[in-house]
Amino acid sequence: MIKENIQRILNELPDGVELVAAAKTRTPQEIGEAVEAGINIIGENYVQEAVRAIEGVGRSVSWHFIGHLQKNKVGKAVSIFDMIQTVDSFELAKEIDKASQSMGKVMSILVEINSGREPQKFGVIPEDALELIEHIGSLQNIKCMGFMTMGPRFGDPEDSRPYFVETRRLYDKIKHLNLPGIEMKYLSMGMTNSYLIAIQEGANMVRIGTKIFGEREYA
Ligand SMILES: *Cc1c(COP(=O)(O)O)cnc(C)c1O
């Protein structure tokens, strides 16, 4: 089932769009099946869950952190992930930079945009993104490679479109500034119910869980 799901998705993705398998709550066996079916990037929301998954699945694929990163987990996250997609404050960026420096590593990150400006959600609001990015550009051991956004949850994915459009505009604007130390390469947006719309609006990385693995029992 996982295999067929992935083949169906890979067949419909345009060239240049990367597929991240969002693996929260899935077993290492399920994730391993996804890798055999052609997945190259696994997205994990929890550091401890990722540790177990990486032990089971190995490092032939890239591991991206897509959850909310707590300060006390930064060191572990930096040591196991290839990219952290959810940087939303200079505080957090500095912690990641410090940990990366001590490990002799340069950590790839995305800045998470709170495109819905929802107070209860993580991410930097669009108005504050440029200032954050400029600050991040001054850090030596962290490399900003673009944006990630979730957007508000809707029953009708069409309602997500304006949030993707706004995030794309901001992405293009900052890309054209050619800021030192910043490489705007990835625009990570779209999940199971919204990825086709996200791609229409310029996403080149989509994060899909349910459509690959089936409905989640929790979380
Ligand atoms: C769970 C999750 C996804 C995937 O959600 P689905 O609706 O299951 O496709 C994508 N991005 C993030 C950050 C997630 O936590």
Side-chain angles (χ1 to χ4, degrees):
M1 203 55 193
I2 290 175
K3 190 174 176 197
E4 287 77 13
N5 293 344
I6 288 171
Q7 270 158 6
R8 213 172 310 128
I9 296 166
L10 287 176
N11 281 336
E12 71 183 355
L13 288 188
D15 281 350
V17 177
E18 309 247 18
L19 174 58
V20 177
K24 57 178 173 280
T25 79
R26 313 302 177 172
T27 64
Q29 286 75 10
E30 289 172 295
I31 300 169
E33 246 185 86
V35 170
E36 275 174 34
I39 289 292
N40 298 313
I41 309 173
I42 313 292
E44 289 281 353
N45 291 64
Y46 307 104
V47 173
Q48 270 321 109
E49 212 173 286
V51 169
R52 283 193 300 274
I54 293 170
E55 275 171 14
V57 176
R59 292 216 154 262
S60 63
V61 288
S62 289
W63 294 86
H64 287 199
F65 187 73
I66 61 172
H68 175 63
L69 187 54
Q70 289 166 316
K71 226 175 156 185
N72 63 341
K73 298 277 170 63
V74 166
K76 189 73 201 172
V78 166
S79 74
I80 65 172
F81 286 105
D82 300 291
M83 182 183 276
I84 296 173
Q85 293 204 6
T86 50
V87 175
D88 62 359
S89 71
F90 192 49
E91 268 340 288
L92 179 58
K94 279 188 290 190
E95 291 292 326
I96 294 171
D97 183 64
K98 200 168 71 183
S100 302
Q101 192 174 21
S102 76
M103 291 174 219
K105 179 170 181 172
V106 175
M107 191 74 216
S108 295
I109 64 113
L110 302 181
V111 166
E112 180 177 0
I113 307 293
N114 181 354
S115 53
R117 297 179 180 78
E118 297 170 282
Q120 76 280 16
K121 292 264 181 81
F122 298 112
V124 63
I125 60 169
E127 290 74 13
D128 295 342
L130 177 58
E131 192 186 347
L132 174 57
I133 297 245
E134 284 173 334
H135 282 120
I136 288 175
S138 70
L139 300 173
Q140 297 298 309
N141 291 75
I142 181 168
K143 184 160 180 60
C144 176
M145 303 200 69
F147 284 166
M148 178 274 217
T149 197
M150 302 270 286
R153 276 266 183 194
F154 294 111
D156 180 357
E158 194 54 50
D159 293 336
S160 298
R161 192 184 294 275
Y163 302 94
F164 295 150
V165 169
E166 179 173 4
T167 306
R168 161 76 181 281
R169 284 209 189 107
L170 190 59
Y171 173 84
D172 283 341
K173 181 180 135 192
I174 289 177
K175 185 175 182 145
H176 287 122
L177 293 176
N178 286 316
L179 297 170
I182 304 296
E183 180 184 351
M184 297 300 277
K185 181 172 178 186
Y186 296 114
L187 182 54
S188 170
M189 53 186 198
M191 326 206 307
T192 290
N193 76 340
S194 60
Y195 71 100
L196 292 174
I197 287 171
I199 291 168
Q200 286 171 2
E201 299 305 342
N204 59 16
M205 184 176 275
V206 294
R207 310 176 309 271
I208 300 181
T210 307
K211 195 167 175 175
I212 289 176
F213 298 106
E215 291 293 336
R216 277 183 297 276
E217 281 169 33
Y218 63 99

